[in-house]
C-alpha cells in the first residue's frame, strides 16, 4: 500500500549529506484528500472592518453583508465657558447639526463601478458587550433611517470619505453627554461613569445597502467612520466649537448571508461536508462559512514504515486563477485544525485567551496555547498563482505525537490573526479575525491544486 501512494527517491539538491546508512528521501506523491465543508458557525465579533454591500458570484451565489455597530467615545466631552475652567451649563450648549462620516478602508469585492446606496438605520436595542455574535446573528432593527446616500465608491483612491447630514435626534442624544460623568475623565484617564455612555445611547446602528441590484461588498474604517456633533455655546461671540467625534468602534459584528441556490454549494448546510475528493473541485470562502478541509491519509502509512524525521516539507496550494478581476484571490492564507463536526479546534478560554490550533512556522513542541501565538500566514505568489506553507514543524509534531493528525481547514485572514479587547487591547479570541473580516474566495481543482513536497530521513 505504501508503494502505491509514496514515491521515494534520493534528492538531487537537498544540502544534506547523509553520514550513515540513514538516507534522506523525497516524495511529492502523498495522497491529499480535499473536502468542501461548512463551519458549524462563524464568529464575526468585534471585527477590524465593518462590511456592507452585496455581490453576485456564479460559483458562491449572492453574498450580502450588513454591519451592526455601537458608537464609542474617543475622548472626553467637556465644554467650558471661553477662557475659563468653568463647565458650561447644559442649557447653553446648543446643537447646530449632526453629520455622519463614512470612510472606506480600501477593502472591496465585486463591482465598484456601479452606484451604491448606503443606508444607516437605528436598531431598537443595543448590542450586548459580553455576547459573541456570528455571521448569522439576527438583531432587531427599527424603521428610523438616519442616513441614505448614493455613493460611487473609489476604494483605491485617497478620497474615500463621505459626509452625510443626519437627523438631529442622534445629535441631541450625544450632546446630552457633554460635561456629564459619562464623558468626564478621572485623574487616571478613565471615565468617571464608564457605563453612562451606554445608558444614554441605548440604540445602536445598522449599515446596509439599499435596493436589490448586485454591486460590491465594501469595508468601512472603524476609526474614520463615525458621527460628528457640531454645537456652539449660547451667548458667546465664537460661532462654533470644534465638533465632538464619536467613532463606530464600540461593540460590533458583521452579518454575512449567502444565497447559494443553483450553485455547486446549494445542498451544503452548517456543520456538513460534501464528498471528499482527490481530483475534483473544492471551494473556499471562510467569511461565509465555506472552507476546504485537507487530509493526509497516506501520511499515517509513511509514519508506520519506520522511524521518521522530517527535514523539510512544503505544502503548495494552487487555486484556479481568478475568473474576474472584481473577484480577486485571497491575499493571504492560513491553516488551522478542524474537527469532524467542522469546528475549528481552539484552546479553552481558561488558558487566558482563545487561540486556534493553527499551523505555525516552527513547532509546536506541546499543545500549550503559548506555542500557537504566531500562526503561519502565506501571501499569494503572483508568479505561480500559489501559496507555499512550510509544514515541516507541523508534520514533525505529528510524528512525535504532540499534534493529532487532524484535518486542516484553509482560512483567509486579513493579515492579522488577533482579535483584541476593545478596552485593554489584550488578545481575546483569534477566531474572529481569522474567519470573517473579508469575503475572499477561491476554487481548488484537480490533484495538483494541493501538493506536499516532503524530504525526510527514515531508520528501522
Amino acid at each position: 500500500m505504501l508503494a502505491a501512494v509514496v514515491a521515494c527517491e534520493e534528492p538531487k539538491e537537498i544540502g544534506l549529506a547523509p553520514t550513515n546508512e540513514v538516507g534522506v528521501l523525497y516524495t511529492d506523491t502523498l495522497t491529499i484528500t480535499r473536502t468542501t465543508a461548512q463551519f458549524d458557525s462563524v464568529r464575526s465579533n468585534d471585527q477590524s472592518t465593518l462590511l456592507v454591500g452585496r455581490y453576485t458570484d456564479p460559483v458562491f451565489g449572492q453574498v450580502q453583508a450588513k454591519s451592526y455597530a455601537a458608537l464609542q467615545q474617543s475622548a472626553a466631552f467637556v465644554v467650558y465657558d471661553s477662557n475659563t475652567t468653568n463647565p458650561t451649563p447644559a442649557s447653553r450648549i446648543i446643537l447646530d447639526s449632526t453629520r455622519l462620516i463614512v470612510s472606506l478602508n480600501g477593502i472591496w469585492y465585486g463591482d465598484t463601478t456601479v452606484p451604491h446606496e448606503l443606508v444607516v438605520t437605528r436598531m431598537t436595542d443595543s448590542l450586548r458587550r459580553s455576547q459573541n455574535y456570528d455571521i448569522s446573528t439576527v438583531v432587531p432593527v427599527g424603521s428610523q433611517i438616519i442616513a441614505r446616500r448614493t455613493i460611487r465608491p473609489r476604494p483605491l483612491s485617497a478620497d474615500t470619505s463621505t459626509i452625510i447630514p443626519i437627523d438631529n435626534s442622534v445629535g441631541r442624544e450625544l450632546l446630552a453627554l457633554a460635561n456629564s460623568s459619562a464623558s468626564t475623565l478621572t485623574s487616571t484617564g478613565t471615565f468617571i461613569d464608564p457605563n453612562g455612555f451606554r445608558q444614554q445611547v441605548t440604540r445602536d446602528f445598522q449599515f446596509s445597502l439599499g435596493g436589490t441590484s448586485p454591486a460590491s461588498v465594501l469595508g468601512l474604517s472603524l476609526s474614520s467612520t463615525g458621527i460628528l456633533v457640531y454645537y456652539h455655546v449660547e451667548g458667546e461671540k465664537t460661532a462654533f466649537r470644534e465638533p465632538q467625534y464619536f467613532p463606530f468602534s464600540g461593540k460590533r459584528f458583521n452579518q454575512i448571508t449567502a444565497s447559494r441556490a443553483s450553485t455547486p454549494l446549494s445542498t451544503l448546510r452548517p456543520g456538513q461536508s460534501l464528498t471528499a475528493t482527490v481530483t475534483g473541485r473544492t471551494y473556499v470562502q471562510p467569511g461565509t462559512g465555506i472552507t476546504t478541509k485537507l487530509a493526509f491519509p497516506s501520511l499515517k502509512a509513511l509514519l508506520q514504515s519506520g522511524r521518521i524525521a522530517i527535514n523539510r516539507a512544503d505544502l503548495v496550494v494552487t487555486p484556479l486563477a481568478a475568473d474576474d478581476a472584481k473577484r480577486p484571490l485571497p491575499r493571504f492564507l492560513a491553516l488551522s485544525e478542524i474537527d469532524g463536526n467542522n469546528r475549528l479546534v481552539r484552546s479553552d478560554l481558561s488558558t487566558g485567551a482563545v487561540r486556534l490550533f493553527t499551523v505555525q512556522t516552527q513547532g509546536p513542541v506541546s499543545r500549550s496555547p503559548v506555542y500557537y501565538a504566531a500562526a503561519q500566514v502565506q501571501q499569494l505568489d503572483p508568479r505561480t498563482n500559489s501559496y507555499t506553507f512550510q509544514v515541516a514543524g507541523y508534520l514533525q509534531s505529528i510524528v512525535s505525537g504532540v499534534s493529532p493528525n487532524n484535518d486542516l481547514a484553509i482560512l483567509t485572514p486579513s493579515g492579522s490573526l488577533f482579535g483584541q479587547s476593545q478596552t485593554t487591547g489584550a488578545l481575546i479570541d483569534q477566531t474572529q479575525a481569522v474567519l470573517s473580516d473579508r469575503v475572499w474566495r477561491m476554487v481548488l481543482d484537480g490533484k495538483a491544486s494541493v501538493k506536499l513536497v516532503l524530504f525526510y530521513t527514515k531508520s528501522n
Side-chain angles (χ1 to χ4, degrees):
M1 177 65 180
L2 181 62
V5 296
V6 181
C8 301
E9 61 183 46
E10 296 290 340
K12 298 178 176 61
E13 295 183 58
I14 182 65
L16 298 173
T19 57
N20 53 36
E21 295 183 357
V22 178
V24 179
L25 303 174
Y26 158 85
T27 178
D28 64 356
T29 59
L30 281 172
T31 298
I32 301 174
T33 61
R34 292 175 287 111
T35 307
T36 300
Q38 185 167 354
F39 294 117
D40 68 328
S41 63
V42 181
R43 300 184 190 184
S44 62
N45 208 44
D46 296 334
Q47 292 292 323
S48 60
T49 292
L50 299 177
L51 295 178
V52 58
R54 77 177 69 85
Y55 80 97
T56 298
D57 188 305
V59 176
F60 291 83
Q62 185 181 82
V63 175
Q64 177 167 275
K66 299 177 183 178
S67 55
Y68 299 82
L71 291 169
Q72 190 172 45
Q73 293 193 96
S74 58
F77 190 5
V78 180
V79 181
Y80 298 107
D81 289 342
S82 293
N83 302 317
T84 75
T85 57
N86 300 323
T88 302
S91 61
R92 292 178 52 223
I93 305 173
I94 309 302
L95 177 68
D96 294 310
S97 64
T98 314
R99 300 283 189 271
L100 170 70
I101 180 169
V102 177
S103 298
L104 305 182
N105 61 4
I107 294 170
W108 60 275
Y109 214 79
D111 187 358
T112 61
T113 65
V114 301
H116 292 55
E117 185 187 42
L118 181 67
V119 180
V120 182
T121 309
R122 291 299 296 269
M123 294 171 51
T124 60
D125 202 351
S126 61
L127 300 172
R128 303 290 181 258
R129 282 180 289 180
S130 60
Q131 182 171 336
N132 277 321
Y133 294 91
D134 66 30
I135 61 170
S136 63
T137 301
V138 177
V139 293
V141 177
S143 59
Q144 182 190 5
I145 295 175
I146 68 163
R148 186 192 296 270
R149 174 66 62 90
T150 297
I151 62 173
R152 289 186 176 272
R154 294 180 293 171
L156 301 182
S157 168
D159 180 17
T160 61
S161 297
T162 300
I163 297 178
I164 308 169
I166 64 173
D167 192 298
N168 274 337
S169 63
V170 179
R172 283 190 288 271
E173 282 184 49
L174 296 171
L175 192 66
L177 292 162
N179 295 345
S180 71
S181 59
S183 59
T184 304
L185 298 177
T186 67
S187 59
T188 60
T190 60
F191 288 105
I192 294 174
D193 181 4
N195 298 316
F197 182 86
R198 301 301 295 155
Q199 292 169 354
Q200 173 64 24
V201 184
T202 58
R203 295 187 297 146
D204 294 329
F205 301 81
Q206 178 201 66
F207 290 79
S208 63
L209 200 65
T212 58
S213 300
S216 66
V217 172
L218 302 171
L220 306 183
S221 167
L222 292 177
S223 60
S224 302
T225 297
I227 290 179
L228 289 163
V229 176
Y230 292 83
Y231 65 95
H232 71 275
V233 175
E234 187 177 47
E236 293 194 349
K237 293 181 180 180
T238 304
F240 296 101
R241 297 290 184 97
E242 284 292 320
Q244 187 75 10
Y245 178 61
F246 299 87
F248 282 103
S249 54
K251 187 68 179 182
R252 59 199 179 272
F253 78 98
N254 292 317
Q255 181 191 79
I256 305 175
T257 57
S259 176
R260 302 191 180 101
S262 302
T263 74
L265 305 171
S266 61
T267 63
L268 202 55
R269 298 293 181 268
Q272 295 181 352
S273 301
L274 300 181
T275 304
T277 181
V278 174
T279 60
R281 287 193 170 190
T282 55
Y283 306 90
V284 178
Q285 192 178 46
T288 63
I290 302 298
T291 189
T292 287
K293 297 197 300 185
L294 306 179
F296 308 90
S298 56
L299 181 62
K300 183 177 180 180
L302 177 62
L303 299 181
Q304 292 174 344
S305 67
R307 297 177 61 187
I308 300 294
I310 308 297
N311 301 102
R312 173 183 166 187
D314 293 343
L315 184 68
V316 183
V317 179
T318 307
L320 294 178
D323 56 6
D324 191 321
K326 299 171 184 175
R327 297 186 291 271
L329 291 172
R331 287 187 61 195
F332 306 100
L333 293 187
L335 301 171
S336 188
E337 293 180 24
I338 187 171
D339 66 17
N341 296 314
N342 291 341
R343 297 189 183 101
L344 293 172
V345 183
R346 308 175 177 91
S347 64
D348 190 87
L349 185 58
S350 63
T351 61
V354 176
R355 297 190 192 274
L356 295 176
F357 286 103
T358 52
V359 171
Q360 307 288 293
T361 301
Q362 296 181 339
V365 298
S366 86
R367 295 292 273 182
S368 170
V370 70
Y371 293 105
Y372 294 86
Q376 185 179 159
V377 178
Q378 291 299 337
Q379 190 165 355
L380 175 67
D381 184 341
R383 299 170 304 166
T384 59
N385 195 58
S386 64
Y387 312 79
T388 301
F389 290 89
Q390 288 76 51
V391 295
Y394 170 71
L395 295 180
Q396 189 61 48
S397 73
I398 295 176
V399 170
S400 60
V402 170
S403 298
N405 189 10
N406 284 333
D407 293 352
L408 294 177
I410 297 178
L411 306 179
T412 57
S414 62
S416 172
L417 292 181
F418 298 99
Q420 297 177 330
S421 165
Q422 299 174 54
T423 54
T424 67
L427 173 66
I428 297 298
D429 189 347
Q430 271 186 328
T431 315
Q432 63 203 44
V434 177
L435 281 177
S436 53
D437 62 354
R438 302 290 188 274
V439 289
W440 283 325
R441 48 81 100 191
M442 69 182 192
V443 179
L444 300 173
D445 188 20
K447 189 175 182 178
S449 62
V450 182
K451 190 172 185 179
L452 180 62
V453 180
L454 183 65
F455 294 95
Y456 63 98
T457 54
K458 182 174 70 171
S459 60
N460 296 321

